[in-house]
Amino acid sequence: MTDIKLGRLPDRTPVKLAISVPPDLHLALADYATIYHETYGDDQAIADLVPHMLSAFLASDRGFAKARAGLAARRK
């Protein structure tokens, strides 16, 4: 086998997730999409913004990161 710098790419198959949100959250998400458009001049659907919003939220949650590292250690 040839030794190359780039390792095997991880699974990038999207997983579809259907959720229901309360009307006030939907309005907030719609407002976010409007402000996003006003800021960047780029229309993005709420469904396209939400995964990035969730990723940013999880990345900024230090308590979650610490607890998740503990879970990973227990899986080994």
Side-chain angles (χ1 to χ4, degrees), residues 21-32:
V21 298
D24 58 330
L25 178 55
H26 180 262
L27 179 59
L29 291 169
D31 289 346
Y32 193 97

Side-chain angles (χ1 to χ4, degrees), residues 6-76:
L6 182 64
R8 181 179 291 273
L9 295 177
D11 183 9
R12 294 169 291 157
T13 305
V15 176
K16 186 154 182 99
L17 179 66
I19 63 167
S20 296
V21 298
D24 58 330
L25 178 55
H26 180 262
L27 179 59
L29 291 169
D31 289 346
Y32 193 97
T34 298
I35 295 166
Y36 183 93
H37 173 71
E38 291 172 355
T39 302
Y40 298 111
D42 185 16
D43 267 331
Q44 293 293 328
I46 293 170
D48 294 329
L49 291 172
V50 168
H52 299 282
M53 295 167 80
L54 289 171
S55 290
F57 173 80
L58 291 175
S60 70
D61 188 331
R62 295 295 125 217
F64 170 69
K66 184 177 178 181
R68 190 172 190 209
L71 282 176
R74 286 185 287 188
R75 286 186 195 125
K76 292 182 179 181

